[in-house]
Amino acid sequence: MAIQQTLILIKPDGLIKSLTGNVISRLSEAKLTIMGAKVVRVSRELAEKHYEHLKGKPFFEELINYIVGDVHKTYRVLALVYQGENAITKIRDIVGDTDPEKANPISIRGSYGRITTSGVFENVVHASSSPEDAEKEIKLWFQPEEIVEDIYPIKEATLNNVKKIVWA
Ligand code: UDP
Ligand code: MG
């Protein structure tokens, strides 16, 4: 038994279909601890880094359009970090197979996912598939101060000439 972290994204189809509550209720069956949560407007750059491993696939461009929100005209995703024993497999079991038609009908993707006419799997959620992917993804989507505990090593850095948006 290993303590693992995992990144979940409720994708734009999940948000536009008002599935946020259902998805979080289903995820809570895994009895994990929530470590971070935020709404993100996904840039093309972030989307392409997140799905880097799928570059070159025929559905890649459509997948990027989907995750940034162009397909549903809903420009946000809900990003969540969970931690606990065997978090990755526990969550992947609840989430179901990548292909909503193959997914167990009682899983999140089996219940709410669909395949578009262009063949993209609109499968409501993302969930990390290995500890290595989870670490890479969590560090991509979250800053250390946005996670309630230091789940990975941190360091102090002095950043000069960094422009930042602050409340006016
Ligand atoms: N995807 C797709 N068609 C495919 C494979 C993947 O549309 O044949 C999309 C789908 O939305 C999936 C995402 O690309 O969730 C990432 O693919 P991956 O193979 O990493 O599946 P996941 O880890 O999300 O189950
Ligand atoms: Mg994946």
Side-chain angles (χ1 to χ4, degrees), residues 155-167:
K155 64 176 184 185
E156 266 189 2
T158 309
L159 303 173
N160 293 319
N161 297 319
V162 174
K163 267 197 194 161
K164 226 183 135 184
I165 304 283
V166 295
W167 299 119

Side-chain angles (χ1 to χ4, degrees), residues 28-95:
S28 71
E29 290 162 20
K31 310 250 184 292
L32 300 170
T33 306
I34 192 159
M35 305 300 282
K38 64 173 175 176
V39 184
V40 183
R41 182 166 179 138
V42 183
S43 66
R44 239 151 235 282
E45 189 192 354
L46 173 59
E48 286 179 7
K49 276 191 191 150
H50 179 76
Y51 283 131
E52 205 166 45
H53 62 292
L54 296 171
K55 231 177 203 160
K57 298 273 185 200
F59 56 85
F60 185 73
E61 282 309 315
E62 271 305 301
L63 175 61
I64 299 301
N65 290 339
Y66 165 33
I67 198 76
V68 301
D70 275 348
V71 173
H72 299 90
K73 304 288 173 239
T74 296
Y75 296 96
R76 68 207 67 221
V77 306
L78 185 64
L80 306 158
V81 174
Y82 284 90
Q83 174 175 281
E85 272 181 11
N86 294 330
I88 290 170
T89 25
K90 278 185 190 160
I91 293 287
R92 292 279 303 191
D93 282 351
I94 295 168
V95 163

